[in-house]
Amino acid sequence: MPQRSNEHEIISEKTVVLAAQCWNGAFDAGRFAAKMLFDYRTRIVLLNTYNSPAFGTTMMRKITPILEQTAEEDLYTLRALLTNEYGIPADSIEMAVTEGDLKSVIRSDFSQQGNLSIVMGHNIHNPYRKGSCIGMINALMDSKPRPIFLISDFITIIEESRIVLIAEKETNISTVHINYLEEHFDKEDITVEIITGDNKKRMEMSEQTANHFSALLEMTDLTRNPLEQIFYDQVIGVGTA
């Protein structure tokens, strides 16, 4: 687990992009970022993208400002949660509202960003069901940033060559979700691991992933829910590979 640096040590900054497209899960993603990832060297970017409808130019001119305003209002709400409930300084949070598809925006705006992780929350129980949110998750996985943290009833960590699912119980993770992940990455050499409070298995994180967790976790006064406690005990508290 990363240790807190003293004031004379050079600190490597990190960027956490909180993708807020799946709005129903954005607050869970914000909680995870605030409790597990944020520390004094973190820049949090709240990202919301939108696409103008592909019809008449006149209609596009009327609709586009509305889409942009709605996306901005969502991010203001999310920022207020992070600052007021979790105490994250406002100057550590940036908001980015961008027209375009999520994969292209991440590649164009964040591909050169070192020490980058992305967090997204969702409430999709059947990933094969069509919908805009699953499209966003597909785009996120295809955009190639690593690590990615997907937050739902369980936590999914996507690394370069490994996917780790963390849950209170293994029955909380549907086989449909596991099949979906395996099929999505079927051309890559990637393994799927499951860690729960039942199996007591522990995860040896890659150094890249470990570097994104907060150096202040041991000192946080934020109460952890059961899933977060399992995550802390069996993932973060273990160290790196």
Side-chain angles (χ1 to χ4, degrees):
M1 157 179 180
Q3 298 297 314
R4 183 171 185 172
S5 305
N6 63 51
E7 62 183 0
H8 302 295
E9 187 175 347
I10 297 176
I11 298 172
S12 175
E13 293 184 353
K14 59 181 180 175
T15 298
V16 176
V17 173
L18 203 167
Q21 274 77 0
C22 301
W23 185 243
N24 289 337
F27 295 98
D28 289 335
R31 175 187 172 94
F32 179 86
K35 296 183 70 171
M36 298 296 181
L37 304 178
F38 180 79
D39 57 31
Y40 47 85
R41 62 195 176 112
T42 307
R43 174 178 69 125
I44 293 181
V45 179
L46 307 182
L47 175 65
N48 212 339
T49 63
Y50 64 92
N51 286 298
S52 297
F55 46 78
T57 304
T58 301
M59 183 64 73
M60 285 178 61
R61 284 200 298 267
K62 293 179 180 179
I63 294 295
T64 299
I66 297 174
L67 295 173
E68 183 177 7
Q69 180 180 354
T70 301
E72 286 180 349
E73 290 173 352
D74 286 347
L75 294 191
Y76 276 116
T77 301
L78 187 55
R79 186 174 70 173
L81 171 77
L82 296 178
T83 55
N84 297 336
E85 185 167 343
Y86 300 124
I88 295 180
D91 59 3
S92 296
I93 303 172
E94 299 177 17
M95 298 196 306
V97 176
T98 307
E99 183 175 2
D101 67 275
L102 180 61
K103 180 165 64 174
S104 297
V105 169
I106 290 176
R107 286 181 171 175
S108 63
D109 295 358
F110 299 98
S111 61
Q112 302 303 314
Q113 174 68 55
N115 230 353
L116 172 70
S117 64
I118 298 187
V119 183
M120 177 181 279
H122 67 89
N123 59 354
I124 297 173
H125 298 290
N126 183 354
Y128 292 102
R129 183 175 298 164
K130 292 183 178 179
S132 60
C133 193
I134 191 61
M136 294 295 179
I137 293 174
N138 290 337
L140 184 61
M141 293 191 295
D142 290 341
S143 62
K144 298 298 184 182
R146 299 291 185 265
I148 297 172
F149 303 99
L150 299 178
I151 312 302
S152 59
D153 295 336
F154 49 91
I155 299 169
T156 304
I157 304 177
I158 301 174
E159 295 186 315
E160 286 291 345
S161 59
R162 176 172 53 181
I163 299 171
V164 182
L165 308 177
I166 300 102
E168 291 184 64
K169 298 180 179 180
E170 190 163 343
T171 53
N172 293 354
I173 305 173
S174 70
T175 55
V176 174
H177 183 81
I178 296 173
N179 292 340
Y180 160 73
L181 291 171
E182 290 177 339
E183 290 175 11
H184 190 91
F185 294 100
D186 64 348
K187 295 181 181 179
E188 301 180 33
D189 184 17
I190 194 164
T191 61
V192 177
E193 299 179 16
I194 295 176
I195 294 176
T196 71
D198 294 336
N199 64 25
K200 302 301 182 183
K201 182 178 179 181
R202 295 195 166 209
M203 173 186 174
E204 293 291 338
M205 288 182 288
S206 69
E207 183 176 354
Q208 178 183 3
T209 300
N211 190 47
H212 282 277
F213 290 106
S214 175
L216 309 176
L217 274 170
E218 292 179 340
M219 294 172 280
T220 183
D221 58 358
L222 296 173
T223 303
R224 301 187 186 102
N225 62 32
L227 177 58
E228 290 165 345
Q229 191 62 50
I230 290 170
F231 189 92
Y232 179 83
D233 291 342
Q234 295 176 224
V235 178
I236 298 174
V238 178
T240 62

